[in-house]
Amino acid sequence: MFEPTTSSELDTLPKTSVVDYKKNLHRRRILIELYRSGTSSIAELARVIHSSVPSVTSIVEEMVEEKWIVPVGTGVTKQGRKPVLFSLSTERYYVLVLDVNTHDTKVLVMNLKNEVVFRRDLDMKLEDSSKFLGALIEATEDVINESNIRHDDFMAMGISVAGLVDARKGFNFTYRSLNQGEQSFGTLLERHFKFPVYVINDTKATTLGEHRFGLAQGKDHVLAIYIDWGVGLGVILNGEVFQGASGFAGELGHIQVVPNGELCHCGKVGCLDTITSAASLLRRIKKGLNDGRISRLSGMDIEKIDAEIIIDAAWQGDSFAIDILHEIGMELGKGLSIAIHLFNPEIIIVDGIVAKAGAFITNPIEQAINKYCLTDFRSNLNVVISQLGQEAKWLGTQAYVVEKVIENN
């Protein structure tokens, strides 16, 4: 899991610093291992981080005193003394996780065992407005106060948000009004709350959540398609989330598929988003109903129909809803075929609100892949629905924050 320390790294340090350097490196690796695995014994930690049992014992004892780590019982062994198991403490070091999207905002407080200890769902839709930033800060302050957790116990904040996000600097280049001149969205929040703030694109957060805790665990080459009000693609290459030069990699929704198609919200014409997103699903259903298509949805107030109602109708056998989902799945599969030829994944994970359609969306995706992909690319490829659902995004945001904080300290 971890690369060994290179001799060149150590050669640049004075002799008095080498011991401290290696010790701090081992501390970080122990924390990361416990975060990802949940529990571990000293012997297991020593094996994973390539260190001796006495060295790891000393470091673990220090971190127990610092309340980073706690003993949680004993493990199973065939003979001899049962090993003591350790995990990260849940009594200190919380992360604020903000899920900011175009239909609502969720603010969660999570501990280092990925448990949600406090949550508020807010009727705040992502807007390209400086007023939205002010409202978000105010609402987050309220959540901190309501949680009864001391400000000093928050180690950082993580924000998953739609748009072109430069995670390194915290800028959102789609919702530009969240930034102020040379100050990024993330920097503005960091200066207000006085602890580190990390911003990540929502699809990449979902992909990271799947890789750390979901169906992509242990896999090196993965595509995660996030079908919500837009369409995003997360890419795992060689076991890491692929960011691209500016952090924008994976905007599958903005490849052109219909040259004379509809105008996309990005300003281009005929993007995949315009025919495969949840917003497109709603438009196509409403147009069909207005044109007289027969459906169990026909008797409803057309303005009250949403994506979940359409998907529920499909599960109840509504042929119109099933037909539209099939068309969307075929177009998604056609778009994914391009990515499959580029990245050669071993698994495709479908997530987002449209994933609730299950086989009604994955079957046509697979049909399109069979039609448009070379045989050798699809012979061992699986298309699956996420088992984590919306939690993948929260877990991915949390993992991004925890790993960054540990890496930087």
Side-chain angles (χ1 to χ4, degrees):
M1 180 181 292
F2 300 105
E3 295 296 325
T5 306
T6 63
S7 59
S8 60
E9 284 178 302
L10 296 179
D11 289 344
T12 61
L13 297 170
K15 288 184 178 180
T16 53
S17 300
V18 171
V19 174
D20 287 339
Y21 175 85
K22 292 185 73 172
K23 180 178 177 181
N24 288 334
L25 191 63
H26 289 332
R27 281 173 62 96
R28 290 197 295 270
R29 290 174 170 176
I30 287 170
L31 289 172
I32 290 290
E33 173 61 19
L34 288 175
Y35 176 68
R36 293 183 182 177
S37 66
T39 62
S40 190
S41 68
I42 285 177
E44 289 170 338
L45 290 171
R47 178 181 56 79
V48 169
I49 72 168
H50 309 295
S51 184
S52 68
V53 168
S55 294
V56 172
T57 300
S58 175
I59 293 170
V60 167
E61 287 174 352
E62 284 183 12
M63 289 195 288
V64 168
E65 288 183 15
E66 296 166 3
K67 301 189 185 303
W68 272 105
I69 294 175
V70 292
V72 290
T74 56
V76 177
T77 184
K78 292 181 179 179
Q79 57 183 3
R81 217 161 133 194
K82 292 182 179 180
V84 177
L85 297 178
F86 295 88
S87 75
L88 296 181
S89 172
T90 60
E91 299 301 318
R92 290 187 65 190
Y93 307 114
Y94 297 91
V95 175
L96 267 171
V97 173
L98 276 63
D99 174 4
V100 182
N101 55 71
T102 54
H103 39 93
D104 66 5
T105 295
K106 298 178 180 67
V107 183
L108 304 92
V109 178
M110 299 179 71
N111 63 27
L112 294 182
K113 292 186 75 173
N114 291 331
E115 297 167 336
V116 177
V117 298
F118 193 83
R119 172 179 169 177
R120 279 288 176 269
D121 293 4
L122 308 172
D123 186 20
M124 292 177 58
K125 299 179 181 180
L126 176 61
E127 297 175 0
D128 190 12
S129 161
S130 58
K131 290 182 179 179
F132 177 83
L133 176 61
L136 183 65
I137 289 173
E138 185 178 341
T140 304
E141 286 279 16
D142 290 342
V143 170
I144 292 173
N145 292 332
E146 290 173 29
S147 71
N148 291 322
I149 294 171
R150 294 187 315 126
H151 188 277
D152 289 346
D153 286 341
F154 286 102
M155 60 191 295
M157 176 191 294
I159 306 171
S160 70
V161 62
L164 299 177
V165 175
D166 183 344
R168 297 166 302 178
K169 299 178 181 178
F171 281 96
N172 191 315
F173 291 102
T174 301
Y175 296 87
R176 292 177 179 268
S177 296
L178 297 179
N179 315 304
Q180 290 182 6
E182 297 299 315
Q183 296 186 79
S184 71
F185 176 44
T187 298
L188 292 167
L189 290 169
E190 195 167 274
R191 289 181 177 175
H192 178 87
F193 288 103
K194 310 299 183 190
F195 46 63
V197 173
Y198 298 92
V199 184
I200 184 172
N201 168 268
D202 54 357
T203 299
K204 290 183 176 64
T206 300
T207 305
L208 186 61
E210 291 290 350
H211 189 251
R212 296 291 188 264
F213 308 107
L215 294 174
Q217 269 187 300
K219 300 189 182 300
D220 291 328
H221 303 284
V222 179
L223 296 180
I225 182 79
Y226 187 69
I227 319 163
D228 209 83
W229 300 105
V231 176
L233 181 71
V235 181
I236 300 286
L237 284 181
N238 299 319
E240 297 295 333
V241 177
F242 181 58
Q243 296 282 354
S246 303
F248 304 156
E251 288 294 331
L252 186 73
H254 295 292
I255 61 170
Q256 189 185 64
V257 290
V258 186
N260 298 312
E262 296 180 27
L263 178 68
C264 182
H265 62 85
C266 73
K268 307 299 182 183
V269 172
C271 293
L272 188 66
D273 255 15
T274 64
I275 58 173
T276 60
S277 65
S280 166
L281 172 64
L282 277 175
R283 285 198 305 272
R284 294 168 75 168
I285 287 287
K286 289 178 179 180
K287 182 180 184 303
L289 294 175
N290 284 329
D291 290 345
R293 285 292 300 266
I294 298 174
S295 166
R296 67 187 307 120
L297 301 170
S298 302
M300 294 186 63
D301 180 346
I302 201 167
E303 295 308 316
K304 292 183 178 179
I305 295 175
D306 59 23
E308 293 194 5
I309 288 173
I310 296 167
I311 291 168
D312 184 58
W315 282 110
Q316 294 182 50
D318 186 83
S319 60
F320 178 43
I322 292 170
D323 286 346
I324 297 297
L325 286 167
H326 184 272
E327 291 172 12
I328 285 175
M330 287 295 293
E331 293 294 344
L332 279 168
K334 188 175 181 181
L336 278 168
S337 296
I338 298 171
I340 290 167
H341 284 124
L342 290 173
F343 298 111
N344 188 23
E346 53 196 299
I347 188 173
I348 296 175
I349 301 172
V350 182
D351 210 331
I353 191 169
V354 178
K356 294 180 180 180
F360 292 117
I361 199 74
T362 56
N363 285 350
I365 287 175
E366 289 176 324
Q367 288 174 29
I369 289 171
N370 288 336
K371 181 177 181 180
Y372 295 109
C373 277
L374 294 173
T375 303
D376 291 334
F377 278 85
R378 55 181 167 81
S379 57
N380 295 311
L381 177 63
N382 293 315
V383 179
V384 297
I385 295 289
S386 168
Q387 295 177 351
L388 295 175
Q390 66 176 350
E391 290 184 16
K393 192 196 306 184
W394 306 339
L395 291 170
T397 305
Q398 161 96 339
Y400 184 69
V401 170
V402 171
E403 291 173 15
K404 284 291 183 184
V405 169
I406 292 172
E407 177 186 311
N408 294 332
N409 286 278

PDB file of all heavy atoms in Angstrom, residues 35 93-97 109-115 158 208 213 393-404:
ATOM      1  N   TYR A  35      -7.489   4.178   9.185  1.00  0.00           N
ATOM      2  CA  TYR A  35      -8.663   4.830   8.616  1.00  0.00           C
ATOM      3  C   TYR A  35      -9.307   3.940   7.554  1.00  0.00           C
ATOM      4  O   TYR A  35     -10.523   3.788   7.506  1.00  0.00           O
ATOM      5  CB  TYR A  35      -8.286   6.180   8.001  1.00  0.00           C
ATOM      6  CG  TYR A  35      -9.442   6.843   7.308  1.00  0.00           C
ATOM      7  CD1 TYR A  35     -10.533   7.308   8.045  1.00  0.00           C
ATOM      8  CD2 TYR A  35      -9.487   6.954   5.933  1.00  0.00           C
ATOM      9  CE1 TYR A  35     -11.634   7.875   7.419  1.00  0.00           C
ATOM     10  CE2 TYR A  35     -10.573   7.530   5.293  1.00  0.00           C
ATOM     11  CZ  TYR A  35     -11.646   7.987   6.042  1.00  0.00           C
ATOM     12  OH  TYR A  35     -12.732   8.535   5.401  1.00  0.00           O
ATOM     13  N   TYR A  93     -11.441  14.919  16.779  1.00  0.00           N
ATOM     14  CA  TYR A  93     -11.110  15.030  15.353  1.00  0.00           C
ATOM     15  C   TYR A  93     -12.294  14.678  14.447  1.00  0.00           C
ATOM     16  O   TYR A  93     -12.394  13.571  13.929  1.00  0.00           O
ATOM     17  CB  TYR A  93      -9.895  14.165  15.016  1.00  0.00           C
ATOM     18  CG  TYR A  93      -8.708  14.431  15.905  1.00  0.00           C
ATOM     19  CD1 TYR A  93      -8.242  13.453  16.779  1.00  0.00           C
ATOM     20  CD2 TYR A  93      -8.075  15.671  15.893  1.00  0.00           C
ATOM     21  CE1 TYR A  93      -7.156  13.696  17.620  1.00  0.00           C
ATOM     22  CE2 TYR A  93      -6.985  15.921  16.722  1.00  0.00           C
ATOM     23  CZ  TYR A  93      -6.536  14.937  17.584  1.00  0.00           C
ATOM     24  OH  TYR A  93      -5.469  15.172  18.398  1.00  0.00           O
ATOM     25  N   TYR A  94     -13.174  15.643  14.294  1.00  0.00           N
ATOM     26  CA  TYR A  94     -14.340  15.487  13.427  1.00  0.00           C
ATOM     27  C   TYR A  94     -14.113  16.222  12.109  1.00  0.00           C
ATOM     28  O   TYR A  94     -13.311  17.149  12.017  1.00  0.00           O
ATOM     29  CB  TYR A  94     -15.593  16.033  14.111  1.00  0.00           C
ATOM     30  CG  TYR A  94     -15.959  15.299  15.384  1.00  0.00           C
ATOM     31  CD1 TYR A  94     -15.481  15.730  16.622  1.00  0.00           C
ATOM     32  CD2 TYR A  94     -16.778  14.177  15.343  1.00  0.00           C
ATOM     33  CE1 TYR A  94     -15.806  15.059  17.789  1.00  0.00           C
ATOM     34  CE2 TYR A  94     -17.113  13.493  16.518  1.00  0.00           C
ATOM     35  CZ  TYR A  94     -16.626  13.943  17.730  1.00  0.00           C
ATOM     36  OH  TYR A  94     -16.946  13.278  18.880  1.00  0.00           O
ATOM     37  N   VAL A  95     -14.856  15.802  11.092  1.00  0.00           N
ATOM     38  CA  VAL A  95     -14.807  16.455   9.781  1.00  0.00           C
ATOM     39  C   VAL A  95     -16.202  16.962   9.440  1.00  0.00           C
ATOM     40  O   VAL A  95     -17.191  16.240   9.597  1.00  0.00           O
ATOM     41  CB  VAL A  95     -14.326  15.471   8.691  1.00  0.00           C
ATOM     42  CG1 VAL A  95     -14.401  16.124   7.307  1.00  0.00           C
ATOM     43  CG2 VAL A  95     -12.898  15.015   8.974  1.00  0.00           C
ATOM     44  N   LEU A  96     -16.271  18.212   8.987  1.00  0.00           N
ATOM     45  CA  LEU A  96     -17.508  18.761   8.437  1.00  0.00           C
ATOM     46  C   LEU A  96     -17.566  18.403   6.963  1.00  0.00           C
ATOM     47  O   LEU A  96     -16.645  18.749   6.204  1.00  0.00           O
ATOM     48  CB  LEU A  96     -17.534  20.280   8.586  1.00  0.00           C
ATOM     49  CG  LEU A  96     -18.192  20.880   9.815  1.00  0.00           C
ATOM     50  CD1 LEU A  96     -17.906  22.380   9.871  1.00  0.00           C
ATOM     51  CD2 LEU A  96     -19.703  20.656   9.800  1.00  0.00           C
ATOM     52  N   VAL A  97     -18.592  17.701   6.547  1.00  0.00           N
ATOM     53  CA  VAL A  97     -18.756  17.312   5.150  1.00  0.00           C
ATOM     54  C   VAL A  97     -19.965  18.032   4.574  1.00  0.00           C
ATOM     55  O   VAL A  97     -21.080  17.903   5.087  1.00  0.00           O
ATOM     56  CB  VAL A  97     -18.928  15.786   5.013  1.00  0.00           C
ATOM     57  CG1 VAL A  97     -19.279  15.410   3.583  1.00  0.00           C
ATOM     58  CG2 VAL A  97     -17.665  15.066   5.461  1.00  0.00           C
ATOM     59  N   VAL A 109     -21.613  16.056  10.093  1.00  0.00           N
ATOM     60  CA  VAL A 109     -20.436  15.953  10.950  1.00  0.00           C
ATOM     61  C   VAL A 109     -20.108  14.467  11.034  1.00  0.00           C
ATOM     62  O   VAL A 109     -20.945  13.655  11.429  1.00  0.00           O
ATOM     63  CB  VAL A 109     -20.688  16.526  12.350  1.00  0.00           C
ATOM     64  CG1 VAL A 109     -19.449  16.347  13.228  1.00  0.00           C
ATOM     65  CG2 VAL A 109     -21.077  17.998  12.270  1.00  0.00           C
ATOM     66  N   MET A 110     -18.862  14.108  10.650  1.00  0.00           N
ATOM     67  CA  MET A 110     -18.462  12.702  10.641  1.00  0.00           C
ATOM     68  C   MET A 110     -17.224  12.504  11.515  1.00  0.00           C
ATOM     69  O   MET A 110     -16.352  13.378  11.568  1.00  0.00           O
ATOM     70  CB  MET A 110     -18.172  12.245   9.208  1.00  0.00           C
ATOM     71  CG  MET A 110     -19.385  12.348   8.295  1.00  0.00           C
ATOM     72  SD  MET A 110     -19.065  11.833   6.584  1.00  0.00           S
ATOM     73  CE  MET A 110     -18.889  10.055   6.775  1.00  0.00           C
ATOM     74  N   ASN A 111     -17.182  11.366  12.197  1.00  0.00           N
ATOM     75  CA  ASN A 111     -15.992  11.052  12.988  1.00  0.00           C
ATOM     76  C   ASN A 111     -15.021  10.234  12.137  1.00  0.00           C
ATOM     77  O   ASN A 111     -15.292   9.937  10.962  1.00  0.00           O
ATOM     78  CB  ASN A 111     -16.361  10.353  14.296  1.00  0.00           C
ATOM     79  CG  ASN A 111     -17.037   8.999  14.073  1.00  0.00           C
ATOM     80  OD1 ASN A 111     -16.828   8.323  13.066  1.00  0.00           O
ATOM     81  ND2 ASN A 111     -17.865   8.592  15.034  1.00  0.00           N
ATOM     82  N   LEU A 112     -13.902   9.837  12.725  1.00  0.00           N
ATOM     83  CA  LEU A 112     -12.853   9.165  11.960  1.00  0.00           C
ATOM     84  C   LEU A 112     -13.165   7.706  11.651  1.00  0.00           C
ATOM     85  O   LEU A 112     -12.392   7.036  10.980  1.00  0.00           O
ATOM     86  CB  LEU A 112     -11.517   9.279  12.692  1.00  0.00           C
ATOM     87  CG  LEU A 112     -10.950  10.694  12.792  1.00  0.00           C
ATOM     88  CD1 LEU A 112      -9.600  10.688  13.493  1.00  0.00           C
ATOM     89  CD2 LEU A 112     -10.814  11.332  11.407  1.00  0.00           C
ATOM     90  N   LYS A 113     -14.329   7.221  12.109  1.00  0.00           N
ATOM     91  CA  LYS A 113     -14.779   5.888  11.715  1.00  0.00           C
ATOM     92  C   LYS A 113     -15.883   5.977  10.666  1.00  0.00           C
ATOM     93  O   LYS A 113     -16.621   5.024  10.427  1.00  0.00           O
ATOM     94  CB  LYS A 113     -15.266   5.105  12.939  1.00  0.00           C
ATOM     95  CG  LYS A 113     -14.140   4.757  13.903  1.00  0.00           C
ATOM     96  CD  LYS A 113     -14.603   3.859  15.030  1.00  0.00           C
ATOM     97  CE  LYS A 113     -14.809   2.436  14.565  1.00  0.00           C
ATOM     98  NZ  LYS A 113     -15.106   1.515  15.693  1.00  0.00           N
ATOM     99  N   ASN A 114     -15.987   7.164  10.034  1.00  0.00           N
ATOM    100  CA  ASN A 114     -16.953   7.417   8.957  1.00  0.00           C
ATOM    101  C   ASN A 114     -18.407   7.340   9.424  1.00  0.00           C
ATOM    102  O   ASN A 114     -19.315   7.085   8.627  1.00  0.00           O
ATOM    103  CB  ASN A 114     -16.744   6.452   7.787  1.00  0.00           C
ATOM    104  CG  ASN A 114     -15.447   6.718   7.048  1.00  0.00           C
ATOM    105  OD1 ASN A 114     -14.967   7.858   7.009  1.00  0.00           O
ATOM    106  ND2 ASN A 114     -14.865   5.688   6.476  1.00  0.00           N
ATOM    107  N   GLU A 115     -18.615   7.565  10.709  1.00  0.00           N
ATOM    108  CA  GLU A 115     -19.981   7.584  11.240  1.00  0.00           C
ATOM    109  C   GLU A 115     -20.507   9.014  11.220  1.00  0.00           C
ATOM    110  O   GLU A 115     -19.795   9.952  11.599  1.00  0.00           O
ATOM    111  CB  GLU A 115     -19.988   7.044  12.674  1.00  0.00           C
ATOM    112  CG  GLU A 115     -19.557   5.592  12.779  1.00  0.00           C
ATOM    113  CD  GLU A 115     -19.261   5.169  14.207  1.00  0.00           C
ATOM    114  OE1 GLU A 115     -18.950   6.036  15.041  1.00  0.00           O
ATOM    115  OE2 GLU A 115     -19.332   3.954  14.483  1.00  0.00           O
ATOM    116  N   GLY A 158     -14.706  19.386   4.347  1.00  0.00           N
ATOM    117  CA  GLY A 158     -14.652  18.908   2.968  1.00  0.00           C
ATOM    118  C   GLY A 158     -15.938  19.259   2.254  1.00  0.00           C
ATOM    119  O   GLY A 158     -17.024  19.081   2.808  1.00  0.00           O
ATOM    120  N   LEU A 208     -13.998   8.304  -5.369  1.00  0.00           N
ATOM    121  CA  LEU A 208     -13.076   8.014  -4.268  1.00  0.00           C
ATOM    122  C   LEU A 208     -13.775   7.188  -3.192  1.00  0.00           C
ATOM    123  O   LEU A 208     -13.188   6.251  -2.625  1.00  0.00           O
ATOM    124  CB  LEU A 208     -12.539   9.320  -3.681  1.00  0.00           C
ATOM    125  CG  LEU A 208     -11.458   9.183  -2.607  1.00  0.00           C
ATOM    126  CD1 LEU A 208     -10.228   8.478  -3.158  1.00  0.00           C
ATOM    127  CD2 LEU A 208     -11.070  10.560  -2.064  1.00  0.00           C
ATOM    128  N   PHE A 213     -14.233   2.407  -0.122  1.00  0.00           N
ATOM    129  CA  PHE A 213     -15.180   1.655   0.724  1.00  0.00           C
ATOM    130  C   PHE A 213     -16.255   0.895  -0.052  1.00  0.00           C
ATOM    131  O   PHE A 213     -17.080   0.229   0.566  1.00  0.00           O
ATOM    132  CB  PHE A 213     -15.871   2.628   1.695  1.00  0.00           C
ATOM    133  CG  PHE A 213     -14.914   3.475   2.480  1.00  0.00           C
ATOM    134  CD1 PHE A 213     -14.759   4.825   2.196  1.00  0.00           C
ATOM    135  CD2 PHE A 213     -14.141   2.924   3.494  1.00  0.00           C
ATOM    136  CE1 PHE A 213     -13.866   5.616   2.906  1.00  0.00           C
ATOM    137  CE2 PHE A 213     -13.244   3.703   4.207  1.00  0.00           C
ATOM    138  CZ  PHE A 213     -13.104   5.053   3.918  1.00  0.00           C
ATOM    139  N   LYS A 393     -20.567   9.555  -2.020  1.00  0.00           N
ATOM    140  CA  LYS A 393     -20.066  10.924  -2.134  1.00  0.00           C
ATOM    141  C   LYS A 393     -19.581  11.437  -0.785  1.00  0.00           C
ATOM    142  O   LYS A 393     -18.525  12.070  -0.681  1.00  0.00           O
ATOM    143  CB  LYS A 393     -21.166  11.828  -2.687  1.00  0.00           C
ATOM    144  CG  LYS A 393     -20.683  13.212  -3.115  1.00  0.00           C
ATOM    145  CD  LYS A 393     -21.833  14.196  -3.297  1.00  0.00           C
ATOM    146  CE  LYS A 393     -22.901  13.688  -4.235  1.00  0.00           C
ATOM    147  NZ  LYS A 393     -23.951  14.719  -4.456  1.00  0.00           N
ATOM    148  N   TRP A 394     -20.333  11.166   0.273  1.00  0.00           N
ATOM    149  CA  TRP A 394     -19.942  11.636   1.607  1.00  0.00           C
ATOM    150  C   TRP A 394     -18.673  10.924   2.074  1.00  0.00           C
ATOM    151  O   TRP A 394     -17.767  11.577   2.600  1.00  0.00           O
ATOM    152  CB  TRP A 394     -21.071  11.376   2.605  1.00  0.00           C
ATOM    153  CG  TRP A 394     -22.389  11.949   2.204  1.00  0.00           C
ATOM    154  CD1 TRP A 394     -22.605  12.964   1.304  1.00  0.00           C
ATOM    155  CD2 TRP A 394     -23.683  11.545   2.662  1.00  0.00           C
ATOM    156  NE1 TRP A 394     -23.957  13.219   1.180  1.00  0.00           N
ATOM    157  CE2 TRP A 394     -24.637  12.358   2.006  1.00  0.00           C
ATOM    158  CE3 TRP A 394     -24.125  10.575   3.568  1.00  0.00           C
ATOM    159  CZ2 TRP A 394     -26.007  12.225   2.230  1.00  0.00           C
ATOM    160  CZ3 TRP A 394     -25.485  10.437   3.783  1.00  0.00           C
ATOM    161  CH2 TRP A 394     -26.405  11.263   3.130  1.00  0.00           C
ATOM    162  N   LEU A 395     -18.625   9.610   1.861  1.00  0.00           N
ATOM    163  CA  LEU A 395     -17.448   8.851   2.274  1.00  0.00           C
ATOM    164  C   LEU A 395     -16.210   9.283   1.489  1.00  0.00           C
ATOM    165  O   LEU A 395     -15.112   9.360   2.030  1.00  0.00           O
ATOM    166  CB  LEU A 395     -17.699   7.355   2.081  1.00  0.00           C
ATOM    167  CG  LEU A 395     -18.722   6.716   3.023  1.00  0.00           C
ATOM    168  CD1 LEU A 395     -19.061   5.305   2.569  1.00  0.00           C
ATOM    169  CD2 LEU A 395     -18.192   6.692   4.459  1.00  0.00           C
ATOM    170  N   GLY A 396     -16.407   9.578   0.199  1.00  0.00           N
ATOM    171  CA  GLY A 396     -15.290  10.023  -0.620  1.00  0.00           C
ATOM    172  C   GLY A 396     -14.786  11.392  -0.206  1.00  0.00           C
ATOM    173  O   GLY A 396     -13.570  11.644  -0.168  1.00  0.00           O
ATOM    174  N   THR A 397     -15.710  12.290   0.126  1.00  0.00           N
ATOM    175  CA  THR A 397     -15.322  13.622   0.603  1.00  0.00           C
ATOM    176  C   THR A 397     -14.567  13.513   1.915  1.00  0.00           C
ATOM    177  O   THR A 397     -13.523  14.136   2.125  1.00  0.00           O
ATOM    178  CB  THR A 397     -16.571  14.509   0.791  1.00  0.00           C
ATOM    179  OG1 THR A 397     -17.320  14.541  -0.427  1.00  0.00           O
ATOM    180  CG2 THR A 397     -16.176  15.931   1.161  1.00  0.00           C
ATOM    181  N   GLN A 398     -15.103  12.688   2.820  1.00  0.00           N
ATOM    182  CA  GLN A 398     -14.443  12.452   4.109  1.00  0.00           C
ATOM    183  C   GLN A 398     -13.054  11.857   3.920  1.00  0.00           C
ATOM    184  O   GLN A 398     -12.069  12.301   4.533  1.00  0.00           O
ATOM    185  CB  GLN A 398     -15.320  11.511   4.951  1.00  0.00           C
ATOM    186  CG  GLN A 398     -14.633  10.814   6.091  1.00  0.00           C
ATOM    187  CD  GLN A 398     -14.799  11.520   7.424  1.00  0.00           C
ATOM    188  OE1 GLN A 398     -15.099  12.710   7.468  1.00  0.00           O
ATOM    189  NE2 GLN A 398     -14.597  10.797   8.505  1.00  0.00           N
ATOM    190  N   ALA A 399     -12.942  10.844   3.056  1.00  0.00           N
ATOM    191  CA  ALA A 399     -11.645  10.199   2.818  1.00  0.00           C
ATOM    192  C   ALA A 399     -10.646  11.193   2.232  1.00  0.00           C
ATOM    193  O   ALA A 399      -9.468  11.201   2.618  1.00  0.00           O
ATOM    194  CB  ALA A 399     -11.818   9.011   1.874  1.00  0.00           C
ATOM    195  N   TYR A 400     -11.115  12.031   1.315  1.00  0.00           N
ATOM    196  CA  TYR A 400     -10.237  13.032   0.703  1.00  0.00           C
ATOM    197  C   TYR A 400      -9.679  13.969   1.770  1.00  0.00           C
ATOM    198  O   TYR A 400      -8.482  14.272   1.790  1.00  0.00           O
ATOM    199  CB  TYR A 400     -11.032  13.820  -0.341  1.00  0.00           C
ATOM    200  CG  TYR A 400     -10.216  14.820  -1.119  1.00  0.00           C
ATOM    201  CD1 TYR A 400      -9.260  14.401  -2.033  1.00  0.00           C
ATOM    202  CD2 TYR A 400     -10.415  16.187  -0.956  1.00  0.00           C
ATOM    203  CE1 TYR A 400      -8.512  15.315  -2.755  1.00  0.00           C
ATOM    204  CE2 TYR A 400      -9.678  17.109  -1.671  1.00  0.00           C
ATOM    205  CZ  TYR A 400      -8.732  16.665  -2.569  1.00  0.00           C
ATOM    206  OH  TYR A 400      -7.982  17.577  -3.274  1.00  0.00           O
ATOM    207  N   VAL A 401     -10.542  14.408   2.669  1.00  0.00           N
ATOM    208  CA  VAL A 401     -10.124  15.320   3.739  1.00  0.00           C
ATOM    209  C   VAL A 401      -9.158  14.636   4.710  1.00  0.00           C
ATOM    210  O   VAL A 401      -8.077  15.158   5.001  1.00  0.00           O
ATOM    211  CB  VAL A 401     -11.352  15.855   4.509  1.00  0.00           C
ATOM    212  CG1 VAL A 401     -10.913  16.600   5.766  1.00  0.00           C
ATOM    213  CG2 VAL A 401     -12.182  16.760   3.618  1.00  0.00           C
ATOM    214  N   VAL A 402      -9.554  13.470   5.213  1.00  0.00           N
ATOM    215  CA  VAL A 402      -8.733  12.785   6.222  1.00  0.00           C
ATOM    216  C   VAL A 402      -7.349  12.474   5.664  1.00  0.00           C
ATOM    217  O   VAL A 402      -6.326  12.711   6.324  1.00  0.00           O
ATOM    218  CB  VAL A 402      -9.434  11.494   6.701  1.00  0.00           C
ATOM    219  CG1 VAL A 402      -8.502  10.666   7.585  1.00  0.00           C
ATOM    220  CG2 VAL A 402     -10.711  11.837   7.464  1.00  0.00           C
ATOM    221  N   GLU A 403      -7.305  11.970   4.452  1.00  0.00           N
ATOM    222  CA  GLU A 403      -6.018  11.608   3.862  1.00  0.00           C
ATOM    223  C   GLU A 403      -5.151  12.842   3.596  1.00  0.00           C
ATOM    224  O   GLU A 403      -3.928  12.798   3.767  1.00  0.00           O
ATOM    225  CB  GLU A 403      -6.241  10.793   2.594  1.00  0.00           C
ATOM    226  CG  GLU A 403      -6.822   9.410   2.901  1.00  0.00           C
ATOM    227  CD  GLU A 403      -7.215   8.628   1.666  1.00  0.00           C
ATOM    228  OE1 GLU A 403      -6.781   9.015   0.551  1.00  0.00           O
ATOM    229  OE2 GLU A 403      -7.948   7.629   1.792  1.00  0.00           O
ATOM    230  N   LYS A 404      -5.774  13.951   3.196  1.00  0.00           N
ATOM    231  CA  LYS A 404      -5.026  15.195   2.977  1.00  0.00           C
ATOM    232  C   LYS A 404      -4.482  15.749   4.294  1.00  0.00           C
ATOM    233  O   LYS A 404      -3.342  16.202   4.370  1.00  0.00           O
ATOM    234  CB  LYS A 404      -5.915  16.232   2.301  1.00  0.00           C
ATOM    235  CG  LYS A 404      -6.149  16.006   0.813  1.00  0.00           C
ATOM    236  CD  LYS A 404      -4.880  16.227   0.026  1.00  0.00           C
ATOM    237  CE  LYS A 404      -5.114  16.084  -1.463  1.00  0.00           C
ATOM    238  NZ  LYS A 404      -3.839  16.206  -2.228  1.00  0.00           N
TER     239      LYS A 404
END
